[in-house]
Amino acid sequence: MISQQETGAFAERYRNDLLDDTVPFWLKNGLDSVHGGVLSSLTRDGAVLDSDKSVWAQGRFAWLLGTLARTVEARSEWIDAAESCLTFLDSHAFDRDGRMFFLLTQDGRPLRKRRYAFSEAFASMGHAAFASVTGSDRNAAEAIRLFRAFTDHVAEPKSNQTTRPTKGIGPVMIGINVAQTLRENLDFEEATEQIDRWIAEIEADFFHPSRNCLLEVVTVDGAVVDHFDGRTLNLGHAIEAAWFILHEARLRGRDTHLIELGTRILDCMWERGWDQTHGGLLYFTDLEGGSVQEYWHDMKFWWPHNEAVIATLLAYHLTGEVRFAKRHRLVHDWAHENFADPEFGEWFGYLHRDGSPSVKLKGNHWKGPFHVPRMQLYCWKLAEEMLGAM
Amino acid sequence: MISQQETGAFAERYRNDLLDDTVPFWLKNGLDSVHGGVLSSLTRDGAVLDSDKSVWAQGRFAWLLGTLARTVEARSEWIDAAESCLTFLDSHAFDRDGRMFFLLTQDGRPLRKRRYAFSEAFASMGHAAFASVTGSDRNAAEAIRLFRAFTDHVAEPKSNQTTRPTKGIGPVMIGINVAQTLRENLDFEEATEQIDRWIAEIEADFFHPSRNCLLEVVTVDGAVVDHFDGRTLNLGHAIEAAWFILHEARLRGRDTHLIELGTRILDCMWERGWDQTHGGLLYFTDLEGGSVQEYWHDMKFWWPHNEAVIATLLAYHLTGEVRFAKRHRLVHDWAHENFADPEFGEWFGYLHRDGSPSVKLKGNHWKGPFHVPRMQLYCWKLAEEMLGAM
């Protein structure tokens, strides 16, 4: 069990890390006062390691800052920085075909576009959070427009998949979170229907209880693909999906079916992914325990640990089961001992299996002001709710 | 210095490993008697781990077997297997636009196509080696046609590079080797002019002696790109390029300029890449010693070690410098101690920095019957030449 005292300590730790470390680290080091937006590729001590701008990072930071402004306090520093990221996106992140880029130069010229639509997803979240603070109809409309662009893109058949049509859990899982964000910020009630469809798809097609796992890639009908891609399990994605489902259960008055689905996914993927030798969560494992194609499968990345910290605390809150309390302490402690950098703040992102850092950078085109502060904000607020209920 | 006795021992080791271990491993476990061609994704003990077929592997295995048939003996087992790989390519590997695929199902249906033209490069090498054994005009013509398709593709401006046009050393370096292979097998004399152009491009644009390195990615004019991609050094590619240049020097009667260029590249990249802590060659390093974007940068892959074994022996042969003899022993010993699998044969492909295996598979879509046997064949024949000259 987690006592009132321990819950209070968790709340304080998550709050202080968020407001005194993570958010100041990115505002101080990442904000681009010349061109606007945020630079995410920073060294250990916050210097600019690469001036190219991640499109994902702009939408994600705007989401974080807008959410802080709505749920903590309406600091103008946060609102201005969120606006800067969104303005940078508006000015530079859209190609002529309407699709968003993935990477831009510091001053906004296009460098790379990908075939996925996650840039649209994160930009939608940013506009939604900003709209809820400022009341801007334009940002609210843009959030919904980008959400629809994302769902349309996900629904499109992919021309490169005629021989063996497959689908990944990524867009489904992230889609749930974007829809939850739009509903929370914009009273976008049609989100619930879409969330129900996506959760049903996870349960029907990606969750294979007979194999004791949530699969990352399946056939379009939800069957196992007995090749490298289909056997490779992504523990972080699975545990992230689990907490999005548990969050939905929490919002729906502890919906028992959703609690059961979320905790079953969390249970089986924790068993598969927690490293009994060194601690921490492995990045990929193979469905059958064989060789994974991705040779860096046993590294420890920051973000699956952020997802697991949230998922375990939320599962404990919803079920009171002792195993989730134990796992929360375990992953909280391992992550803070190995990823957190007390000397310069924020977290390292990439560790070897034994917990030693592979690189000491604080951000790149993927790691930025998102997973760490989202965990801190979610767990701070959840711990406070738990205290209130005690 | 490497004594006559040690040279003889090297020759014997490389020959025996090639003919008694590596080639039988792939012929026994990889050949597909039902659909033709070779399966490269094999477990440690040679079972099929993934039945999808790598297009690269077909061309590369055909090259190896054709070259063995020409330079060792005309075994029908080798010639038949080479033909099987090439027939599989002819029947299945070409898209309607004439470009080759990257990955096929076991029975030849298309799964993946990439924007690079390395499938064409390796298929060209396979046809050339096969043509030289069989005297087939059709295979000779196909080798040349595919080489031209490769060079045309390399020369095409890439539409995704308008903001910051860059170029990589990969096509240039592999192009040199394909041209050398065509010339060796087909008396394709125009190859030499193209090789000269590519070596000149490496010297002018990719080799930066003032920075003590061969760069992997530069601007189209050969300047440093001060971003992740431009600062990331690929030790294996650089050392491979070095020995292709040294091979050209060897063919041109110990051309002093080419010997100097090849050994300078080898010297500076060896210094940057050899791991003083654990031994072995690091995969990526940063130009300035900073954080590399690729978080698995410090893993040890089999193929850079194959290239370094060849490069060091060849550099020693051409210069007689003791440092190359020392490095040859060092990389030979480290690689054989850590990658070779005496229990089931062939080599592991992917080790952690400390030399422990990350995965124990013997092949996947990238690792197949190519780098290990190419090293064994080249070094066996080179050691014999060295013995003859002693």
Side-chain angles (χ1 to χ4, degrees):
Chain A
M1 308 296 290
I2 304 184
S3 68
Q4 188 160 11
Q5 191 185 357
E6 192 180 1
T7 308
F10 275 132
E12 196 183 341
R13 170 82 198 256
Y14 290 123
R15 182 199 167 282
N16 293 348
D17 284 356
L18 177 70
L19 299 183
D20 301 339
D21 173 10
T22 313
V23 174
F25 180 93
W26 291 102
L27 285 173
K28 179 185 164 206
N29 301 304
L31 273 192
D32 184 345
S33 56
V34 179
H35 299 283
V38 67
L39 296 155
S40 60
S41 296
L42 304 181
T43 63
R44 181 181 181 186
D45 59 357
V48 176
L49 179 61
D50 191 327
S51 63
D52 291 339
K53 285 211 179 91
S54 155
V55 170
W56 290 13
Q58 313 306 316
R60 286 169 157 187
F61 200 31
W63 167 81
L64 174 70
L65 295 165
T67 305
L68 288 173
R70 179 172 60 82
T71 62
V72 181
E73 62 175 275
R75 286 191 203 170
S76 60
E77 184 190 18
W78 294 343
I79 298 170
D80 293 349
E83 186 169 25
S84 174
C85 293
L86 295 174
T87 303
F88 191 83
L89 289 182
D90 289 344
S91 309
H92 305 295
F94 291 86
D95 200 359
R96 282 171 203 167
D97 63 2
R99 288 285 325 282
M100 293 185 80
F101 294 111
F102 173 76
L103 191 67
L104 306 167
T105 60
Q106 182 168 10
D107 60 0
R109 286 166 297 141
L111 284 169
R112 200 184 310 167
K113 195 166 144 185
R114 297 177 76 193
R115 65 178 192 277
Y116 312 102
F118 296 121
S119 291
E120 283 82 347
F122 299 124
S124 171
M125 289 172 66
H127 280 287
F130 187 76
S132 78
V133 175
T134 60
S136 156
D137 289 340
R138 195 193 72 76
N139 292 100
E142 184 67 358
I144 292 168
R145 189 185 75 78
L146 287 167
F147 176 70
R148 298 219 163 103
F150 168 75
T151 54
D152 288 351
H153 186 269
V154 171
E156 248 172 51
K158 304 296 179 282
S159 63
N160 60 338
Q161 294 191 334
T162 50
T163 297
R164 184 187 296 152
T166 60
K167 61 182 181 183
I169 203 171
V172 179
M173 185 259 299
I174 288 172
I176 292 172
N177 188 233
V178 181
Q180 288 172 333
T181 303
L182 264 57
R183 189 180 54 192
E184 182 181 339
N185 286 286
L186 308 176
D187 299 319
F188 183 59
E189 282 307 326
E190 70 179 80
T192 300
E193 207 176 296
Q194 181 64 59
I195 291 168
D196 284 338
R197 276 196 297 270
W198 276 324
I199 291 178
E201 186 178 353
I202 288 177
E203 186 168 9
D205 291 350
F206 292 96
F207 184 42
H208 286 230
S210 66
R211 309 290 289 259
N212 206 35
C213 73
L214 186 76
L215 294 163
E216 174 77 7
V217 170
V218 292
T219 69
V220 287
D221 303 323
V224 173
V225 179
D226 193 16
H227 295 276
F228 282 124
D229 288 351
R231 290 194 306 255
T232 302
L233 306 180
N234 183 323
L235 288 314
H237 266 181
I239 290 173
E240 190 173 3
W243 85 252
F244 292 161
I245 293 168
L246 292 174
H247 178 66
E248 201 62 21
R250 178 186 174 204
L251 296 178
R252 297 185 190 186
R254 299 177 176 247
D255 178 292
T256 51
H257 180 72
L258 293 178
I259 291 175
E260 196 194 327
L261 178 61
T263 54
R264 285 171 75 197
I265 293 171
L266 178 56
D267 277 333
C268 66
M269 298 311 274
W270 178 278
E271 275 168 38
R272 284 177 174 273
W274 185 259
D275 183 350
Q276 299 292 341
T277 308
H278 296 281
L281 287 162
L282 300 165
Y283 197 87
F284 290 122
T285 60
D286 182 86
L287 177 61
E288 317 280 4
S291 287
V292 178
Q293 167 115 300
E294 276 74 13
Y295 33 77
W296 45 273
H297 60 103
D298 61 4
M299 290 184 68
K300 310 285 166 65
F301 279 35
W302 86 105
W303 67 266
H305 294 78
N306 295 141
E307 309 309 345
V309 164
I310 297 175
T312 50
L313 189 64
L314 188 49
Y316 174 71
H317 171 63
L318 293 172
T319 66
E321 297 279 352
V322 174
R323 70 180 182 284
F324 296 122
K326 286 184 180 162
R327 289 177 190 164
H328 182 71
R329 284 186 203 105
L330 204 57
V331 65
H332 173 100
D333 290 349
W334 197 91
H336 285 86
E337 274 161 30
N338 291 281
F339 288 104
D341 178 12
E343 195 171 343
F344 293 98
E346 245 275 348
W347 285 26
F348 301 123
Y350 305 90
L351 311 180
H352 299 117
R353 184 174 174 186
D354 66 5
S356 60
S358 160
V359 286
K360 293 196 172 177
L361 51 73
K362 291 293 163 58
N364 55 23
H365 304 330
W366 290 271
K367 184 175 187 295
F370 185 61
H371 294 92
V372 173
R374 180 169 76 170
M375 171 199 77
Q376 291 161 340
L377 178 61
Y378 196 94
C379 290
W380 163 29
K381 295 293 179 180
L382 180 60
E384 284 200 337
E385 184 179 317
M386 290 162 70
L387 280 175
M390 276 174 175
Chain B
M1 306 297 289
I2 303 184
S3 69
Q4 188 160 9
Q5 190 185 0
E6 193 181 2
T7 308
F10 275 133
E12 196 184 343
R13 170 82 197 257
Y14 290 124
R15 181 200 168 282
N16 293 347
D17 284 356
L18 176 69
L19 299 182
D20 301 339
D21 173 10
T22 312
V23 174
F25 181 92
W26 291 103
L27 285 173
K28 179 185 165 206
N29 301 304
L31 273 192
D32 184 345
S33 57
V34 179
H35 300 283
V38 66
L39 297 155
S40 60
S41 296
L42 304 181
T43 63
R44 180 181 181 185
D45 59 357
V48 176
L49 179 60
D50 191 327
S51 62
D52 291 338
K53 285 209 180 93
S54 155
V55 170
W56 291 12
Q58 313 306 317
R60 286 168 157 186
F61 200 30
W63 168 82
L64 174 70
L65 295 165
T67 305
L68 287 173
R70 178 171 60 81
T71 61
V72 180
E73 63 176 273
R75 286 192 203 171
S76 59
E77 184 190 18
W78 294 343
I79 298 170
D80 293 348
E83 185 169 26
S84 174
C85 292
L86 295 174
T87 304
F88 191 84
L89 289 182
D90 289 344
S91 309
H92 306 294
F94 291 86
D95 200 359
R96 283 171 202 168
D97 63 2
R99 288 285 325 281
M100 293 186 79
F101 294 110
F102 172 76
L103 191 68
L104 306 167
T105 60
Q106 181 167 8
D107 59 0
R109 286 167 296 141
L111 284 169
R112 201 185 308 166
K113 195 166 145 185
R114 297 177 78 192
R115 64 178 193 277
Y116 312 102
F118 296 120
S119 292
E120 284 82 348
F122 299 125
S124 171
M125 290 172 64
H127 280 286
F130 186 75
S132 79
V133 175
T134 59
S136 156
D137 289 340
R138 196 193 71 76
N139 290 102
E142 184 66 357
I144 292 167
R145 189 185 74 78
L146 288 168
F147 176 69
R148 297 218 164 103
F150 167 75
T151 54
D152 289 350
H153 186 269
V154 171
E156 250 171 50
K158 304 296 178 283
S159 63
N160 61 338
Q161 294 190 334
T162 50
T163 298
R164 184 187 297 152
T166 60
K167 60 182 182 183
I169 203 171
V172 179
M173 186 260 296
I174 288 171
I176 291 172
N177 189 232
V178 181
Q180 288 171 334
T181 303
L182 263 58
R183 188 180 54 193
E184 181 181 339
N185 286 284
L186 308 176
D187 299 320
F188 182 60
E189 282 308 326
E190 70 179 77
T192 299
E193 208 176 295
Q194 181 64 59
I195 290 168
D196 284 339
R197 276 196 297 270
W198 276 324
I199 291 178
E201 186 178 352
I202 288 178
E203 186 169 9
D205 291 351
F206 292 96
F207 185 42
H208 286 231
S210 66
R211 309 291 290 259
N212 207 36
C213 72
L214 187 75
L215 294 163
E216 175 77 8
V217 170
V218 293
T219 69
V220 288
D221 303 322
V224 174
V225 179
D226 193 15
H227 295 277
F228 282 124
D229 289 351
R231 290 194 306 255
T232 301
L233 306 180
N234 183 324
L235 288 314
H237 266 181
I239 291 172
E240 190 173 1
W243 85 252
F244 292 160
I245 293 168
L246 291 173
H247 178 66
E248 200 62 21
R250 178 185 173 204
L251 295 178
R252 297 186 189 186
R254 298 179 178 246
D255 179 292
T256 51
H257 179 71
L258 293 178
I259 291 175
E260 195 193 330
L261 178 62
T263 53
R264 285 170 76 196
I265 293 171
L266 178 56
D267 277 332
C268 66
M269 299 312 273
W270 179 278
E271 274 168 39
R272 285 177 173 273
W274 186 259
D275 183 350
Q276 299 292 343
T277 308
H278 296 281
L281 287 162
L282 300 166
Y283 197 88
F284 289 123
T285 60
D286 181 86
L287 177 61
E288 317 279 3
S291 286
V292 178
Q293 166 116 302
E294 276 74 14
Y295 33 77
W296 45 274
H297 59 105
D298 60 4
M299 289 184 69
K300 310 285 166 65
F301 280 35
W302 84 105
W303 68 267
H305 295 78
N306 296 141
E307 309 310 344
V309 164
I310 297 174
T312 49
L313 190 64
L314 188 49
Y316 174 71
H317 170 63
L318 293 173
T319 66
E321 298 278 352
V322 175
R323 70 181 181 284
F324 296 123
K326 285 184 182 164
R327 289 178 191 164
H328 182 70
R329 284 186 203 106
L330 203 58
V331 65
H332 173 99
D333 290 349
W334 197 91
H336 285 86
E337 274 161 31
N338 291 281
F339 288 105
D341 178 11
E343 195 171 344
F344 293 97
E346 246 273 350
W347 284 27
F348 301 122
Y350 305 89
L351 311 180
H352 299 118
R353 184 174 174 186
D354 65 6
S356 61
S358 161
V359 287
K360 293 195 172 178
L361 51 73
K362 291 292 163 58
N364 55 23
H365 305 329
W366 290 271
K367 185 176 185 297
F370 186 60
H371 294 92
V372 173
R374 180 169 77 170
M375 171 199 78
Q376 291 161 341
L377 178 61
Y378 196 94
C379 290
W380 163 28
K381 295 291 178 183
L382 179 60
E384 284 199 338
E385 184 180 318
M386 290 162 70
L387 280 174
M390 275 174 177

